[in-house]
Amino acid sequence: MDLFLHQALAGLATGSIYACLALAIVMIYAAINHLNFAQGEMAMFSTFIAWQLMQWGAPYLLAFVGAAAFSFVAGIAVERVLFRPIHKAPVLSHIVLFIALFAILNSLAGFIWDYNVKSFPTPFGSRSLFGNGLVSSHDAGMMGVAFTMLVLLYVFFRHTRIGLAMRAAAANPESARLAGVRVGRMISLGWGMAAAIGAVAGIMIAPVVFLDPNMMTSILVYGFAGAVVGGLTSPGGAVFGGLAVGIIENLAGTYIPYVGRELRLTIALFIIVAVLTAKPSGLFGRAIVTRV
Amino acid sequence: MIAGVALALLLPLAIKGFFLFQLTLALIYAVAILGLNLLTGFNGQFSLGHSAFYAIGAYTAAILMDQADVAYYWTLPAAGAACFIVGFLFGLPALRLEGLYLALATFALAIATPQLLKSTPLEPWTGGVQGIVILKPEAPLGLPLNSDQWLYYFTMLTAALMYAGAVNLMKSRTGRAIMAIRDNPIAASAMGVNVALYKSLTFGVSALYTGVAGALGALTVQFVAPDSFTFNLAIALFVGLVIGGVGSIPGTLLGGLFILFVPNIAEELSKGLAQAVYGFILIAVIYLMPSGAAGLIRLIVGRTARSRSQPVHFETASRSARLTRETPMSSSTSGDENAK
Amino acid sequence: MPAALLETVGLCAFYGATQVLFGLDLKVGEGGVTTLLGANGAGKTTALRAVSGMVQTTGDIRFCGQSLAGWATEDIVRLGIAHVPQGRGTFVSQTVEENLKIGAMSRRDRAAISSDIERVYGYFPRLKERRKQQAGTLSGGEQQMLALARALMLRPKLMLLDEPSFGLAPLVVRDLFEILRTLNRAENVSMLLVEQNASLALDLADRAYLIETGRLVMTGAAQDLRNDENVRRAYLGY
Ligand SMILES: Nc1ncnc2c1ncn2[C@@H]1O[C@H](COP(=O)(O)OP(=O)(O)OP(=O)(O)O)[C@@H](O)[C@H]1O
Ligand SMILES: [Mg+2]
């Protein structure tokens, strides 16, 4: 029982990583109705920016804010330069562009910062909590950050004019235009916000998985799994989904032979397929009742 | 057309060694992409996980040859059958998934495949991380061909059969049902098409094609290992599909050539930034021809010869391009039509 | 005829390579109601979309004497042109009240927006009862009301109405046209009205156009069209 609890807690800790990324995924999905397969690489690149700023002597907080701000602007730039010109092309073409972006960012990061694994600092320290070495103070801090972001996003989307405008633009662009919403700007803003959230996620994750150009590949899958489990339309669901994926992954690793060492990603696959099969709109996704 | 076939047949006499090997591989990729295209272009289902089926095909062939001494030509039907079954089974749960959700589930499949292949329980068969080395087939009946040349012809023959099969399938009643589902699943089911069955079947057939390509690939490379089948392969196949043109059967040949040669070109241009160069090439191609090569050709053909009747695949390409744009991203309606 | 609020000159519209409108000259007077009649597929919706900048056009569109050529939809809307689209354009997963707030998105006067919400609830009490409900769950007629209410939140000078009576019960249609009349008389909202119910439309309108396959075939005071033998037979059914 004790082992179970401890493993669940540890799962919660890794889960909060996935939750951060899942949140970024859901954000961009809300803004553009696409899944960004390059989201992980964007987060990785942002994290390198933060690392570089610190190498240049910037204090942690400045590097954190600087990287988030850079990512916000870069996210908008990517949307404007890369995606806007082809916004009418088929979805499949968009996915190819995501793949291209993925390749470019990965390769560029390797070229600039090389492929050696780098350590990344944490402001929360790495003391062990609960005396069992499974949950560190960084893990706790990470959960705090994920939760704070969630609350901020909730307030932003539910209670601000611009949040409502973003939701309107994503839900029904044509109708939103007819209400005077500047849809193009909302899409850009969504990209910027998603990139910034991704940056925060990357900076939180890097102390745990270390920094290198490939740090995000498998985490992205878990992030997707979390987002899907929660239902792609719900930021709260994304956080819950991310945490759930973390816990399930950890418990399965503990109690099912082979899984822990070798088949962690298979668990993610299994979760995605199982949840989607049982409930195609995710656990918290909105099943919209549309009347014609 | 005839000139093309003649050229393809005579090619091995003119070129040798590595380039011939590459051409064989490009043809194999084309068959794999054709499999993906049957699913995406003609049935409207996404997949970012076809590397899994390619891997299953390759491993089926390798294990049969390595452990059971099965003759190489028998490994193709075996690989096809294995992949058909796996694809059909994967297609059953995937039935309820629409658009990007399906892309996501298959993406996860692609990510998980190498891990599964490496895992301890399967190691006695798969050889774990080491993989399996197999022998190159020799030309039969004392034909005066070296094994590279023979493999080229063998691949050619198989591919020709597979392409002919695909064209005929799409012209048949079954093919019309498959395409009807893509164009309007609700109307199709109202017309009495068993949507669930046909979607799963298409998944199976698609996996079969890609699996046979995988077996051919194993024969050609003479080696299978888990890391040859990462999601990079899945993405390459997907890119080949889009570049060639979604819903275009001849386009898949172009897709095969693209994914084999363009990364090499990128490598030539810049060693350190090869991936980035490749990315930029992809972006350029998408900008220049947003609906793939088939779309571009359709545009040109449409401009220069409006009066001539257009080949079937151009028509379907345009329709599937529209379809893929309008595939519902929210799953609010997914599953309903399958509930029956 | 009062001074023109909206005027199109030689308006042509295209969907890709297909031309749908062929040189329409339309006018909506300041404070006036113009109705556009025509069979299915004649190009009525397209004409409204052209005014809102949602299709490719040639020719000129002038609003308050200002040319709108090349303007983006968002900016056209901000001039005070509210378009109630065919098919309503409801934001299905937002609540009724959020829909209304979206309608006021181009305005910044917070206090006035709140009072306007109450005002449109006055016109449509049914919506007030359902203010917290997801708009996708409203009945078709209720969604039609919501579309109108959303447009009103813009405080429009001109409304482009595309078949506002579509799918409504006859009694509700009568109420709706009463509301339109009130808006026009009391709040001086001008209207360009597309309507299948030609009889009601001609009652409300002062000016009418009849189009066939994208071309004007008849123009005049609403009263004149009403009395025209052909219009009577084809559109009024008596
Ligand atoms: N997006 C589009 N692409 C191509 N053609 C279109 C498009 N939308 C409309 N059309 C065509 O333009 C013509 C006019 O359509 P429009 O919707 O303006 O007709 P309408 O007069 O509003 O008809 P209704 O009374 O049925 O609403 C029709 O022939 C229609 O097929
Ligand atoms: Mg219409």
Side-chain angles (χ1 to χ4, degrees):
Chain A
M1 193 56 211
D2 219 25
L3 177 69
F4 180 86
L5 264 183
H6 285 166
Q7 289 296 342
L9 257 178
L12 210 56
T14 34
S16 59
I17 297 180
Y18 309 149
C20 284
L21 204 64
L23 202 54
I25 291 165
V26 165
M27 278 290 310
I28 209 156
Y29 184 78
I32 60 174
N33 272 311
H34 283 201
L35 288 175
N36 182 356
F37 288 88
Q39 188 87 60
E41 303 311 287
M42 284 168 56
M44 173 275 294
F45 207 86
S46 306
T47 313
F48 265 111
I49 298 283
W51 181 83
Q52 186 65 68
L53 289 175
M54 280 188 268
Q55 290 296 302
W56 286 335
Y60 185 90
L61 200 63
L62 184 65
F64 182 95
V65 174
F70 169 86
S71 308
F72 183 80
V73 176
I76 291 175
V78 165
E79 193 273 324
R80 293 263 152 142
V81 176
L82 220 52
F83 286 88
R84 180 153 312 178
I86 62 145
H87 72 279
K88 287 205 176 105
V91 178
L92 294 172
S93 303
H94 285 229
I95 298 183
V96 171
L97 277 203
F98 285 132
I99 291 168
L101 189 61
F102 186 107
I104 291 170
L105 288 177
N106 189 289
S107 172
L108 216 54
F111 185 76
I112 302 175
W113 293 291
D114 73 51
Y115 287 90
N116 294 327
V117 174
K118 298 169 176 58
S119 66
F120 197 92
T122 165
F124 306 114
S126 43
R127 275 169 296 112
S128 161
L129 302 184
F130 312 113
N132 53 31
L134 284 171
V135 182
S136 71
S137 53
H138 175 76
D139 294 330
M142 194 158 59
M143 279 188 254
V145 169
F147 187 73
T148 311
M149 282 205 301
L150 177 67
V151 171
L152 287 178
L153 281 175
Y154 181 83
V155 171
F156 174 77
F157 276 116
R158 289 288 143 186
H159 297 292
T160 70
R161 227 172 75 91
I162 217 159
L164 181 60
M166 279 181 77
R167 283 192 287 149
N172 192 339
E174 181 149 291
S175 207
R177 275 200 186 91
L178 288 180
V181 176
R182 298 194 189 279
V183 173
R185 274 188 213 171
M186 296 303 133
I187 292 174
S188 294
L189 187 61
W191 270 85
M193 284 175 62
I197 294 170
V200 174
I203 291 172
M204 289 295 116
I205 296 164
V208 183
V209 302
F210 300 111
L211 181 61
D212 80 297
N214 297 318
M215 66 188 262
M216 281 298 185
T217 315
S218 56
I219 293 177
L220 180 67
V221 179
Y222 290 115
F224 276 146
V228 166
V229 167
L232 279 172
T233 49
S234 153
V239 170
F240 174 87
L243 295 174
V245 169
I247 294 173
I248 294 171
E249 178 206 9
N250 227 18
L251 292 181
T254 313
Y255 293 107
I256 307 174
Y258 297 117
V259 163
R261 272 178 298 129
E262 299 173 344
L263 294 176
R264 295 159 53 94
L265 285 170
T266 314
I267 290 294
L269 164 73
F270 186 76
I271 294 172
I272 290 180
V273 175
V275 168
L276 287 183
T277 310
K279 204 161 178 303
S281 54
L283 295 181
F284 299 95
R286 214 179 283 119
I288 298 158
V289 200
T290 315
R291 297 174 63 156
V292 191
Chain B
M1 178 74 195
I2 293 169
V5 172
L7 180 71
L9 284 177
L10 293 177
L11 216 49
L13 307 177
I15 58 168
K16 295 224 162 44
F18 189 60
F19 190 51
L20 192 60
F21 166 80
Q22 283 189 315
L23 272 184
T24 312
L25 265 187
L27 193 56
I28 290 169
Y29 284 148
V31 173
I33 293 168
L34 176 61
L36 184 56
N37 210 347
L38 293 178
L39 186 71
T40 305
F42 294 90
N43 197 222
Q45 304 191 70
F46 289 75
S47 170
L48 281 175
H50 261 47
S51 61
F53 302 118
Y54 192 92
I56 293 171
Y59 266 92
T60 305
I63 292 171
L64 285 177
M65 287 173 73
D66 183 54
Q67 311 229 334
D69 274 329
V70 174
Y72 67 92
Y73 39 84
W74 286 119
T75 64
L76 298 190
C83 285
F84 178 82
I85 293 168
V86 176
F88 184 80
L89 293 180
F90 191 83
L92 285 178
L95 268 179
R96 304 195 54 186
L97 308 183
E98 296 265 345
L100 285 180
Y101 285 84
L102 184 56
L104 205 62
T106 48
F107 179 68
L109 178 67
I111 296 265
T113 300
Q115 282 198 335
L116 273 171
L117 291 173
K118 282 178 204 167
S119 67
T120 317
L122 295 180
E123 195 159 349
W125 295 285
T126 60
V129 191
Q130 306 298 325
I132 306 166
V133 176
I134 52 181
L135 291 175
K136 215 164 212 180
E138 295 297 330
L141 313 168
L143 285 175
L145 297 169
N146 66 31
S147 57
D148 276 340
Q149 289 169 326
W150 167 239
L151 251 178
Y152 175 82
Y153 284 122
F154 182 67
T155 303
M156 202 62 171
L157 184 72
T158 315
L161 287 174
M162 309 274 302
Y163 272 91
V167 170
N168 280 322
L169 178 67
M170 285 309 141
K171 278 189 191 151
S172 69
R173 266 176 66 93
T174 311
R176 280 200 299 277
I178 288 173
M179 289 188 272
I181 290 168
R182 172 196 68 191
D183 295 335
N184 190 339
I186 296 168
S189 90
M191 288 179 325
V193 174
N194 184 340
V195 173
L197 179 69
Y198 275 103
K199 276 178 128 178
S200 300
L201 267 181
T202 313
F203 223 110
V205 172
S206 166
L208 180 151
Y209 269 76
T210 306
V212 170
L216 283 170
L219 294 178
T220 307
V221 183
Q222 297 172 267
F223 175 57
V224 293
D227 288 329
S228 323
F229 309 111
T230 61
F231 83 110
N232 286 330
L233 175 63
I235 282 177
L237 295 178
F238 180 83
V239 166
L241 167 72
V242 178
I243 299 287
V246 179
S248 158
I249 288 181
T252 55
L253 287 167
L254 205 92
L257 290 170
F258 185 94
I259 64 174
L260 190 83
F261 288 108
V262 174
N264 293 347
I265 295 169
E267 188 93 20
E268 293 282 307
L269 288 174
S270 161
K271 273 253 167 327
L273 282 171
Q275 282 288 310
V277 173
Y278 183 60
F280 281 114
I281 295 177
L282 280 185
I283 292 172
V285 172
I286 290 294
Y287 272 43
L288 293 176
M289 33 186 220
S291 18
L296 190 69
I297 294 167
R298 184 173 64 242
L299 210 70
I300 295 164
V301 172
R303 289 244 170 91
T304 53
R306 254 182 222 290
S307 53
R308 270 210 309 239
S309 71
Q310 295 190 353
V312 175
H313 62 267
F314 291 147
E315 175 58 25
T316 57
S318 82
R319 245 189 294 153
S320 55
R322 235 181 300 138
L323 161 104
T324 45
R325 182 179 318 144
E326 287 160 10
T327 301
M329 293 299 122
S330 83
S331 67
S332 50
T333 57
S334 70
D336 297 353
E337 69 269 23
N338 308 317
K340 304 167 196 98
Chain C
M1 175 94 200
L5 178 68
L6 178 82
E7 190 174 13
T8 72
V9 184
L11 180 67
C12 301
F14 306 82
Y15 290 107
T18 2
Q19 183 166 2
V20 174
L21 298 182
F22 303 83
L24 296 191
D25 300 324
L26 305 175
K27 246 184 214 155
V28 181
E30 176 84 53
V33 177
T34 295
T35 183
L36 195 56
L37 304 175
N40 292 128
K44 308 179 297 291
T45 297
T46 307
L48 298 193
R49 290 171 63 86
V51 173
S52 294
M54 297 162 81
V55 288
Q56 261 185 300
T57 55
T58 61
D60 201 14
I61 302 168
R62 279 199 286 272
F63 182 70
C64 300
Q66 162 131 43
S67 169
L68 300 185
W71 281 49
T73 303
E74 293 97 306
D75 297 315
I76 294 173
V77 169
R78 279 155 195 261
L79 291 177
I81 301 182
H83 188 151
V84 182
Q86 190 169 17
R88 311 177 195 117
T90 311
F91 296 92
V92 287
S93 49
Q94 274 69 40
T95 65
V96 168
E97 191 143 318
E98 282 175 336
N99 266 267
L100 296 183
K101 284 185 179 155
I102 291 169
M105 204 52 89
S106 57
R107 298 168 48 187
R108 299 204 163 269
D109 41 348
R110 242 168 211 268
I113 291 174
S114 308
S115 72
D116 275 2
I117 289 182
E118 288 310 318
R119 196 169 58 92
V120 301
Y121 281 152
Y123 284 122
F124 304 104
R126 193 79 84 84
L127 294 180
K128 182 163 191 174
E129 292 163 27
R130 290 170 171 58
R131 60 198 297 169
K132 296 285 171 219
Q133 196 170 321
Q134 213 183 357
T137 64
L138 295 181
S139 80
E142 289 164 344
Q143 285 191 41
Q144 192 68 64
M145 294 175 199
L146 179 60
L148 209 60
R150 205 176 56 231
L152 285 179
M153 291 303 299
L154 195 71
R155 288 220 177 150
K157 291 199 191 85
L158 171 69
M159 290 181 92
L160 309 174
L161 299 159
D162 202 342
E163 305 198 10
S165 74
F166 184 82
L168 299 184
L171 276 180
V172 184
V173 174
R174 252 194 18 219
D175 291 349
L176 180 90
F177 271 78
E178 269 324 301
I179 291 172
L180 293 181
R181 198 182 301 275
T182 311
L183 287 170
N184 177 242
R185 302 267 155 85
E187 305 196 20
N188 200 32
V189 180
S190 311
M191 298 174 185
L192 178 53
L193 171 67
V194 167
E195 185 46 68
Q196 290 299 342
N197 190 331
S199 168
L200 274 175
L202 288 171
D203 274 350
L204 180 63
D206 53 72
R207 198 172 173 74
Y209 295 89
L210 182 58
I211 59 175
E212 265 169 33
T213 54
R215 290 176 180 85
L216 280 183
V217 289
M218 198 182 290
T219 312
Q223 205 49 45
D224 297 343
L225 259 79
R226 190 176 236 306
N227 296 329
D228 184 271
E229 194 58 35
N230 295 323
V231 174
R232 226 173 230 237
R233 224 178 294 122
Y235 295 95
L236 299 174
Y238 56 83

